[in-house]
Amino acid sequence: MSTYVYGIIHASHSPLRQDLDGIGDPPRPVRVLAQGELAAIVSDAPEELRPKRRDLLAHQRVLDEAGAGGVVLPMRFGSVSPDDDTVTTVLAEIGAGFLERLRALEGSAEYNLKANHDEEAVLRLIMADNDDIRSLAEANREAGGGTQEQKIRLGEMIAAAVQAREATDAELLQQVLEPKVQAVSAGPQSTGWLANLSFLVDRGSAEQFLAVVDELRQQHPYLELRVNGPMPPYSFVDTPSSQQAEGGTVETFGAAAAQPNG
């Protein structure tokens, strides 16, 4: 049976709960495979592995549990090895690289920040700051709404101003928060967020980091800031190469042997 890999830890890591369940239906019991100074958090892999919400949450729950007891190198959802022996072989072959990454992340956690605009508040701000937009809006209003061409022109000007404001605010967030953290990773762009940033934060400095985020909320009330953390450092760990498998994406854990972290 294939082995599902959740993450890598020190062999001396605090023991996980014996009743900790992982992915699958029914959930597969989680166990630890030790090899030298390292260990892998694993379970049996389901025959058909797909990114269902239940299993995505189970994967994260296992990593959260491990992260509460010490540093963990999280694998992406779907990291599968042919068997337990392959997992321990990978740990033996590139153990130095894993140990280096574990030491670098010791005492740290990831916090993800997603930022958005309060639409009404930012429109008021744009109208107050932009004479051309304000003048055209007032002219259209006095003309009973303006011509179709004028309406389109006003819409284009507002859209451009909002886009420029999003870029400015995204840069502001990174400039203010980057000096407070160990590293920053920009997440993929997605509709609805002007910024999607992950921060590697020393656990001893987490309160100060969150306090700075609160200050940003107070100073810029038109910004909606959502923080998620502490989490295992997903965004700051190299993971095995992915290969497409029928029915979903599977990460080949064994491929990591050819990709030590430099």
Side-chain angles (χ1 to χ4, degrees):
M1 178 175 290
S2 299
T3 301
Y4 186 92
V5 185
Y6 299 87
I8 308 300
I9 55 177
H10 287 292
S12 58
H13 190 282
S14 299
L16 302 181
R17 293 198 337 258
Q18 292 185 353
D19 61 347
L20 184 60
D21 286 328
I23 64 170
D25 186 17
R28 272 58 170 178
V30 173
R31 62 186 191 277
V32 175
L33 300 176
Q35 172 62 46
E37 297 182 65
L38 295 169
I41 304 169
V42 305
S43 69
D44 291 342
E47 292 184 4
E48 294 186 1
L49 181 60
R50 292 184 172 87
K52 297 179 180 179
R53 176 175 173 79
R54 176 193 65 232
D55 287 338
L56 290 168
L57 292 175
H59 179 93
Q60 182 172 341
R61 184 174 61 249
V62 171
L63 288 170
D64 287 344
E65 172 76 15
V71 64
V72 56
L73 298 178
M75 297 292 107
R76 290 181 182 177
F77 178 85
S79 182
V80 175
S81 179
D83 50 41
D84 287 3
D85 288 342
T86 302
V87 174
T88 55
T89 297
V90 170
L91 295 182
E93 290 181 349
I94 60 170
F98 283 133
L99 283 170
E100 181 181 351
R101 282 181 268 178
L102 282 167
R103 293 186 185 111
L105 296 171
E106 191 75 48
S108 302
E110 177 173 336
Y111 285 80
N112 175 259
L113 181 143
K114 290 184 172 65
N116 201 355
H117 277 150
D118 180 300
E119 291 185 6
E120 293 185 4
V122 80
L123 283 175
R124 288 195 297 269
L125 189 63
I126 286 171
M127 296 291 278
D129 290 347
N130 193 304
D131 292 338
D132 291 341
I133 292 177
R134 188 171 60 254
S135 296
L136 182 55
E138 291 174 353
N140 286 359
R141 187 165 52 251
E142 292 173 358
T147 66
Q148 184 66 18
E149 183 179 349
Q150 289 170 326
K151 291 178 181 177
I152 292 174
R153 175 59 179 157
L154 179 60
E156 290 174 343
M157 292 173 67
I158 291 175
V162 169
Q163 186 175 12
R165 189 80 201 194
E166 288 179 345
T168 298
D169 288 333
E171 185 177 356
L172 168 70
L173 291 171
Q174 184 159 342
Q175 286 180 346
V176 172
L177 293 170
E178 189 168 10
K180 311 297 180 183
V181 302
Q182 296 172 317
V184 181
S185 175
Q189 297 294 325
S190 61
T191 302
W193 302 111
L194 65 90
N196 178 11
L197 299 170
S198 291
F199 299 94
L200 187 65
V201 181
D202 185 280
R203 289 182 181 273
S205 304
E207 290 187 8
Q208 293 95 316
F209 170 77
L210 295 174
V212 174
V213 175
D214 284 337
E215 289 178 9
L216 285 166
R217 288 193 182 99
Q218 295 171 13
Q219 295 169 0
H220 307 279
Y222 60 90
L223 282 175
E224 297 176 347
L225 304 179
R226 180 184 301 177
V227 179
N228 185 24
M231 302 181 293
Y234 297 100
S235 302
F236 303 93
V237 178
D238 291 338
T239 53
S241 298
S242 63
Q243 63 179 22
Q244 295 297 321
E246 184 178 356
T249 298
V250 173
E251 302 282 350
T252 306
F253 180 73
Q259 297 183 359
N261 182 39

